[in-house]
Every structure is written in C-alpha cells, then in structure tokens.
Amino acid sequence: MTYLASMSTLQPALAVAAAFLLALLSTPLVIRLARRVNAVDRPDDRKVHQTAMPRIGGCALFLAFIIPAVFILKAPAPLSGIVLGGIIIFIVGLLDDIYQISPWLKLLGQCLAAVVAMSFGVIVYFVTNPFEGIFVLGNLALPLTFLWIVGITNAINLIDGLDGLAAGISAIAAATMGVVALMQGEPPVFMMSMVLVAAVLGFLPYNFYPAKTFMGDSGSNFLGFVLACLAVCGMTKSTAVISLIIPIIVLGIPILDTLFAIVRRLNNRTPIFRPDKDHLHHRLMALGLSHRSTVLVIYVASAFFGGLAITFSHTNMSRVSLLLALVLIITVAVAEKIGLRTGTRPEPSPVPEPDVIIYRREGEEKDSL
C-alpha cells in the first residue's frame, strides 16, 4: 500500500490545523517558561531590541511541526529523517539559547543532524544539465548535500535579526516549496511543507514586530534545517531542467545575505564568523526604513523570489536563463548601492550653520536650516 493510499482525505487538513493551533496555543506557555529559566536575549551593540526578550520560541515551532508530522502524517522515509535530524538540531539550538554553547559545538550538532537526514535518503543524487540532460553526482552527492543542509541552516539563522523576519521568510519559502513539490508529483513533501507553514503562521503573531518572543537558535536552526531537507526531497529529484535552480531561488534572500556577508568580511579582512551589523535588514534600516517596514520589504522580496521559482518550474530554459541573468544583475546592483557587499555606510551630510530657525507646532522639535 502506498503512503497516500494509507491516508484519509482529512489527515492533511487535520495536520495543518493541528500545527497552527499548537503553535498559537503553546507559544504563550513557552514565553512564561523562558522567563522562569532565564532564557532571555539581552540587548547589546549589535541588537535592535532594547529590552530583555524570551528567546526559546523555537520550542513552540518545533512541537507544532513535529507532532503533526509524526502522529498525523506519519512521515515516511526520507521525510522521517527530517524529523529525527530536526530533533537533534533543535536540542543543540535550545542548549545554545539557554547556556550559550560554543559555535563549534553548534556546528557539530548541525553536521550530525545533516548526517542523520542523509542516512534516511535526504540526498541529491543528480542535478540537471540544460545542455546534456542529467548529471549524476556520484561521489559528490554526499558532500554537496551535506554542505547544502548545513549552509541553509546557517543562512536562516543569520537572517534572524528582526522581529518576524526569519519566520516570515521561512513561511514564504515553505509555501513555495509546497506548491512546486505538488506540481512535480511529491504530495508528501507538499503536506510537510504546509504543516511547516501552518506552524510558523501560528507562531508569527507573537514574533512579528513588536515581538513578545524570539525564536532563538532552536527555532532558526530548526527552520533552516527543515527547509534545506524539504528542498532536497521535493525539488532536486525532478529531471526537469530547472530543478537544481528552483531551491536556490526559493531561498534567494537568506542565501544572498549569507554570501554577501562572507564576501564583505573577506573584503574587510575580518573573521567570517564574526557578527556584524551589515546584513540586509541592517542596511535597509540604515537607509531610514522602520523596523516593521524593513521586515515587510524583505517579505515582498522573498515572495517575488518564490513567484519566480513557481514560474520557472514550468518554463523553458532559454527564458529562465534570460530572466535569471536580469534578476542577478538587478540584485547585485541593489546590494552594491546599499553597501551589502562592502559594509560601507553612507557619509553623513554636512550640517550647515543655522541661519533661520523654524518653529513647529507646540510639542514638536525645532529644525535648524
């Protein structure tokens, strides 16, 4: 009996509803638990928030995804590998949220989670070549899959710098993956993707600006890991020419932000792993956008990339190549303009000596011209 034949028609809808409600109802409990165990994120020079904030919201995301996936969808292999690997990466992230463990220990946990998922079949065995058909990866399959999973896990973690940012990007990416997976004949991946979307949407009311809790490393690493694995299971196993490019486009914002961060740090001769305040969201806020506006702008950009991925999944390669080239040129130009590659901040305009003082209405500040 096939996996789909063993399921009732109500199970997918029940799993999605359960994920949403579990996240919505459990997050307030997690917030109280965070304060009790002192799992809070305190402000510093790099951070945008001004008060101590609970940072184990990832617990709610984890439960809201894992429970429906295991007990309702009964995820088969290789999707069961995502569940087991997700448990590992969540535990490592939670330990970091509470005890601030070593970055190398976190990386070790990410590597272990990736190996577990791969042992269940979450592997890219081939990529498509627009000129010669399928290119079998052979001995490169395992290292490339490993690097993809660990890389995307960290990319989502790096983009988690503003209220609701990583959560919203992840929801958009998961929804896109679900649609593409369904179009490519992968219903199990579609259902798992929709469960992830529902879990994030149930959590987002507490995480969007002004946030009541952060997802922490337990949440951002878990989301990045699940997204990376779903991309492998649902979008790189098709023989369609565009299949390799689709997951890269879907996760375009976190991937580009991470790549520019590496280039920027190499350019400035600073350690690659040293945090800075020059990520995409920092640069947009430096241009004068508010916290909320910055998040919404990046949501729109993520949705744009998601729309491209869905469009490209049934478009011939010649048109895709042209559009990709255009998008890449525009993206690099925008990144250069806002200083994403160099980290260079705009020079402040010289302030002229005051000649005329304009008084505004009572209660407002004065402007000097």
Side-chain angles (χ1 to χ4, degrees):
M1 181 181 292
T2 64
Y3 172 69
L4 288 180
S6 67
M7 297 182 62
S8 72
T9 55
L10 291 178
Q11 276 180 277
L14 180 60
V16 170
F20 177 79
L21 290 175
L22 279 169
L24 190 67
L25 298 178
S26 65
T27 303
L29 302 178
V30 171
I31 291 173
R32 278 184 285 203
L33 175 64
R35 297 192 186 281
R36 180 169 296 182
V37 300
N38 198 34
V40 295
D41 196 330
R42 305 190 184 282
D44 62 28
D45 292 339
R46 271 195 70 250
K47 296 170 183 174
V48 176
H49 63 285
Q50 303 297 319
T51 58
M53 186 72 66
R55 66 179 176 200
I56 57 172
C59 293
L61 283 170
F62 171 76
L63 293 173
F65 177 79
I66 292 293
I67 291 175
V70 172
F71 294 104
I72 300 178
L73 295 181
K74 298 179 174 60
L79 298 180
S80 53
I82 300 178
V83 171
L84 292 177
I87 292 173
I88 294 171
I89 209 158
F90 165 74
I91 292 173
V92 173
L94 184 62
L95 289 174
D96 183 58
D97 289 335
I98 298 175
Y99 300 111
Q100 297 291 286
I101 63 176
S102 161
W104 293 107
L105 190 56
K106 285 194 294 184
L107 181 60
L108 179 62
Q110 293 170 357
C111 295
L112 178 60
V115 170
V116 168
M118 290 163 61
S119 69
F120 278 78
V122 182
I123 301 172
V124 182
Y125 290 104
F126 61 84
V127 295
T128 47
N129 185 333
F131 305 105
E132 300 178 6
I134 296 174
F135 175 72
V136 178
L137 292 176
N139 293 332
L140 294 176
L142 293 180
L144 287 180
T145 304
F146 178 83
L147 290 174
W148 168 263
I149 294 175
V150 174
I152 296 302
T153 299
N154 282 283
I156 297 297
N157 184 44
L158 286 175
I159 203 76
D160 184 27
L162 295 180
D163 297 352
L165 183 56
I169 289 175
S170 298
I172 293 168
T176 306
M177 288 181 187
V179 172
V180 175
L182 189 62
M183 294 169 61
Q184 295 189 352
E186 295 285 349
V189 178
F190 165 74
M191 289 184 285
M192 292 282 279
S193 298
M194 292 303 105
V195 167
L196 185 63
V197 172
V200 174
L201 292 180
F203 172 73
L204 202 51
Y206 305 97
N207 184 238
F208 192 74
Y209 182 81
K212 299 179 179 65
T213 183
F214 293 159
M215 68 173 63
D217 275 15
S218 58
S220 59
N221 284 330
F222 178 73
L223 287 178
F225 173 81
V226 174
L227 287 171
C229 292
L230 288 176
V232 172
C233 293
M235 290 186 289
T236 61
K237 297 191 180 285
S238 167
T239 56
V241 170
I242 195 65
S243 62
L244 175 64
I245 302 173
I246 290 175
I248 298 174
I249 298 173
V250 171
L251 295 163
I253 293 296
I255 288 175
L256 288 170
D257 186 61
T258 301
L259 289 177
F260 279 120
I262 294 172
V263 171
R264 180 174 64 249
R265 291 165 190 175
L266 290 174
N267 182 62
N268 294 333
R269 298 183 179 179
T270 58
I272 291 178
F273 293 107
R274 178 179 293 175
D276 60 30
K277 292 192 69 172
D278 288 303
H279 286 282
L280 175 60
H281 49 280
H282 294 126
R283 304 306 304 171
L284 291 177
M285 292 187 73
L287 293 176
L289 292 181
S290 68
H291 191 130
R292 183 189 297 267
S293 297
T294 298
V295 172
L296 293 176
V297 166
I298 298 177
Y299 280 4
V300 170
S302 297
F304 171 74
F305 279 104
L308 282 180
I310 294 172
T311 302
F312 288 173
S313 64
H314 51 80
T315 304
N316 66 64
M317 192 62 195
S318 59
R319 293 181 181 178
V320 167
S321 300
L322 182 60
L323 287 172
L324 277 178
L326 180 60
V327 170
L328 184 60
I329 291 171
I330 294 174
T331 300
V332 171
V334 171
E336 192 70 23
K337 181 69 175 178
I338 66 177
L340 194 59
R341 180 183 64 84
T342 61
T344 304
R345 298 181 179 273
E347 292 293 330
S349 301
V351 179
E353 295 184 4
D355 295 324
V356 180
I357 296 179
I358 300 176
Y359 289 91
R360 302 191 176 211
R361 292 191 302 271
E362 183 177 356
E364 295 189 355
E365 296 180 355
K366 295 181 290 185
D367 286 341
S368 296
L369 302 179

